[in-house]
Amino acid sequence: MKTSRFSALRFAVAALSLSLFSAAASAQDTAPALTAYYGVKDALVATDAAKAKAQATSLTAALSKVEAAKLSATDKKALAMAKTHAAAIGKSTDVDDQRAQFEMLSTSMISLAKATKPAKSYVQFCPMAANGKGASWLSDKKEVRNPYYGDKMLKCGSVKEVI
């Protein structure tokens, strides 16, 4: 009986270790994507469509390097959606269109950041974005800089969560 308890304990420790290893590996995979995402966000804060387009291209490339096999089914879906919306931003030269895609990109990136925790991130929220429905985004800084309105409402929003 002691042997079976010991075996079960060893199995549990091994499973936990593997789970932690997978999360750490995924964090390493998603860190470059998160950095590229911040570049898109900063370009939208500056209302710079050309820079947002270039940064989104970098983000698409970084997302393509994330090992989807290490992610849960839900997180794989978030990764696929992030790729789709980053690519759409990378094809657009209209900042309003880019901001609409950024809303959906942010939802996916928030899910990925929560799953992999590559770096300390702040989930920020503007209640006026998305035609008054409100929209979230990630930031590497606590200070709010609104990508949905840029200099029109630069500080509109608040930190809702720290990842």
Side-chain angles (χ1 to χ4, degrees):
M1 187 154 163
K2 282 186 177 182
T3 305
S4 65
R5 282 186 188 166
F6 181 70
S7 293
L9 181 60
R10 277 194 324 181
F11 177 77
V13 169
L16 179 61
S17 297
L18 182 59
S19 172
L20 292 173
F21 173 75
S22 294
S26 295
Q28 291 172 352
D29 291 344
T30 57
L34 189 59
T35 299
Y37 168 87
Y38 292 145
V40 175
K41 174 198 58 92
D42 292 341
L44 293 175
V45 167
T47 313
D48 187 337
K51 188 172 182 180
K53 180 178 180 173
Q55 292 294 320
T57 301
S58 296
L59 174 56
T60 301
L63 288 168
S64 295
K65 294 178 182 175
V66 174
E67 292 185 51
K70 295 179 181 178
L71 299 173
S72 70
T74 301
D75 297 329
K76 285 178 187 175
K77 190 174 188 177
L79 176 62
M81 294 305 295
K83 288 178 186 177
T84 298
H85 297 297
I89 294 169
K91 292 177 184 169
S92 178
T93 57
D94 181 278
V95 76
D96 291 329
D97 290 341
Q98 290 173 332
R99 285 178 170 147
Q101 290 292 327
F102 184 75
E103 176 189 354
M104 294 173 280
L105 170 65
S106 293
T107 299
S108 298
M109 291 299 294
I110 290 167
S111 293
L112 287 172
K114 285 180 178 180
T116 62
K117 297 176 178 40
K120 185 175 186 177
S121 299
Y122 299 90
V123 178
Q124 299 180 343
F125 179 80
C126 172
M128 298 177 70
N131 297 318
K133 294 183 298 182
S136 297
W137 69 94
L138 286 171
S139 181
D140 55 340
K141 297 171 184 69
K142 190 174 184 178
E143 183 179 20
V144 172
R145 292 290 180 255
N146 191 320
Y148 297 109
Y149 291 106
D151 59 359
K152 290 179 185 173
M153 294 174 38
L154 186 62
K155 296 181 180 181
C156 181
S158 61
V159 173
K160 293 294 182 184
E161 185 178 353
V162 179
I163 300 173

